[in-house]
């Protein structure tokens, strides 16, 4: 059971999505355009967003990009077009999954469950969680509770910000993070024009990780992604 925001301008489809999700026990709110969606997320952050690509005014891609500057909740995009470019674009602006219209409600609910399950798993091992489990990726071990990272037997000498970056990446494999989001995570709200600082942190982190550092890849025009 989760709080879900459905963003879809077609009223009938929006209502149908709401009904189906409520049957699953979710608490659903609805928006019919991008700006309203952004405002509603600010007011009360949902645990999952279902976001149509084609919206009047601010389109779904822009909404997704803006949400990703500040939020980590899963975003499932709905698109009428199934081309590869859509998939790549959607995932690179930070969507977690996408469905091509027309889709079955059963498929949508399955994807929704999968997305929420991933969040639950990440939450259990993510920073700020009581469990604070050690994350292992190959030779690398990242321990959120002690703020230590090791590669094989060797402890990595990471600054707190480098550690936070590494923890964020390994907690969210495959997810692209844009620079604005990383700035927000590392320095808080008030910093403008810190793109270069992010790049410098990533460069140092990569070099400290050795060959493993290559797994933190640059997403052209956006930011970075950890590819395990
Ligand atoms: Ca639409």
């Amino acid at each position: 059971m989760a709080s879900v925001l459905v963003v879809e301008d077609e009223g009938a489809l929006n209502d149908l999505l709401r009904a189906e999700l409520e049957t699953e026990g979710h608490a659903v709110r609805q928006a019919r355009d991008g700006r309203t969606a952004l405002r509603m997320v600010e007011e009360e952050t949902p645990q999952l967003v279902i976001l149509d690509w084609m919206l009047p005014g601010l389109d779904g891609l822009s909404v997704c990009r803006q949400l990703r500057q500040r939020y980590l909740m899963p975003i499932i995009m709905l698109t009428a077009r199934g081309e590869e470019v859509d998939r790549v674009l959607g995932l690179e602006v930070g969507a977690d999954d996408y469905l091509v219209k027309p889709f079955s409600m059963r498929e949508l609910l399955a994807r929704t469950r999968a997305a929420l399950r991933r969040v639950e798993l990440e939450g259990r091992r993510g920073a700020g969680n009581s469990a604070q489990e050690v994350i292992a990726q190959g030779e690398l071990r990242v321990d959120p509770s002690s703020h230590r990272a090791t590669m094989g037997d060797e402890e990595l000498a990471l600054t707190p910000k480098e550690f936070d970056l590494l923890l964020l990446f390994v907690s969210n494999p495959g997810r692209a993070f844009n620079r604005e989001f990383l700035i927000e995570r590392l320095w808080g709200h008030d910093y403008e024009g810190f793109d270069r600082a992010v790049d410098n942190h990533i460069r140092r982190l990569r070099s400290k990780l050795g060959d493993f550092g290559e797994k933190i890849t640059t997403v052209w025009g956006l930011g970075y992604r950890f590819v395990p």
Side-chain angles (χ1 to χ4, degrees):
M1 272 162 285
S3 55
V4 180
L5 177 64
V6 175
V7 191
E8 166 63 74
D9 57 312
E10 292 166 50
L13 178 56
N14 196 322
D15 289 344
L16 181 61
L17 290 167
R18 176 186 186 148
E20 292 283 342
L21 289 161
E22 283 182 345
T23 304
E24 291 263 296
H26 300 307
V28 182
R29 288 185 302 152
Q30 297 166 285
R32 294 230 187 157
D33 66 84
R35 296 204 186 282
T36 306
L38 289 174
R39 185 171 48 74
M40 289 175 76
V41 171
E42 292 255 322
E43 283 166 8
E44 193 185 324
T45 310
Q47 287 162 291
L48 175 84
V49 176
I50 293 173
L51 177 61
D52 188 33
W53 187 301
M54 302 297 280
L55 294 167
L58 199 62
D59 68 16
L61 213 56
S62 308
V63 173
C64 186
R65 193 177 284 127
Q66 290 195 31
L67 285 177
R68 273 295 170 259
Q69 292 175 13
R70 296 188 52 192
Y71 302 98
L72 281 171
M73 87 287 274
I75 299 173
I76 299 175
M77 294 211 64
L78 310 178
T79 170
R81 305 176 302 173
E83 288 114 31
E84 181 77 356
V85 61
D86 288 356
R87 190 184 73 81
V88 171
L89 265 178
L91 297 181
E92 290 203 346
V93 296
D96 296 83
D97 204 349
Y98 76 109
L99 281 165
V100 179
K101 292 179 179 177
F103 51 83
S104 73
M105 281 301 146
R106 194 206 282 194
E107 181 67 18
L108 176 100
L109 295 176
R111 301 287 187 92
T112 302
R113 280 193 290 268
L116 290 170
R117 208 157 43 228
R118 280 198 298 275
V119 172
E120 200 190 334
L121 289 174
E122 283 165 14
R124 258 190 245 139
R125 66 194 187 194
N129 188 279
S130 54
Q132 301 246 320
E133 282 171 29
V134 174
I135 300 168
Q137 287 279 352
E139 291 274 277
L140 176 71
R141 295 175 68 79
V142 182
D143 185 350
S145 56
S146 65
H147 266 244
R148 290 172 62 199
T150 53
M151 185 71 74
D153 297 333
E154 214 169 308
E155 178 156 359
L156 298 172
L158 302 179
T159 66
K161 284 192 180 10
E162 288 163 358
F163 182 87
D164 288 346
L165 270 177
L166 180 61
L167 180 60
L168 181 69
F169 282 123
V170 297
S171 303
N172 299 277
R175 179 175 282 176
F177 293 104
N178 66 27
R179 289 183 177 80
E180 290 81 2
F181 182 89
L182 296 173
I183 290 166
E184 161 86 27
R185 275 292 277 246
L186 294 183
W187 288 283
H189 247 311
D190 299 322
Y191 290 89
E192 297 280 336
F194 258 49
D195 285 16
R196 191 163 304 214
V198 171
D199 294 341
N200 288 337
H201 273 77
I202 297 277
R203 204 184 59 239
R204 281 196 300 272
L205 176 61
R206 274 174 174 159
S207 75
K208 289 180 181 181
L209 293 171
D211 290 345
F212 194 95
E214 290 167 17
K215 295 180 194 295
I216 299 173
T217 62
T218 303
V219 181
W220 188 82
L222 178 77
Y224 299 95
R225 179 207 309 269
F226 169 64
V227 183

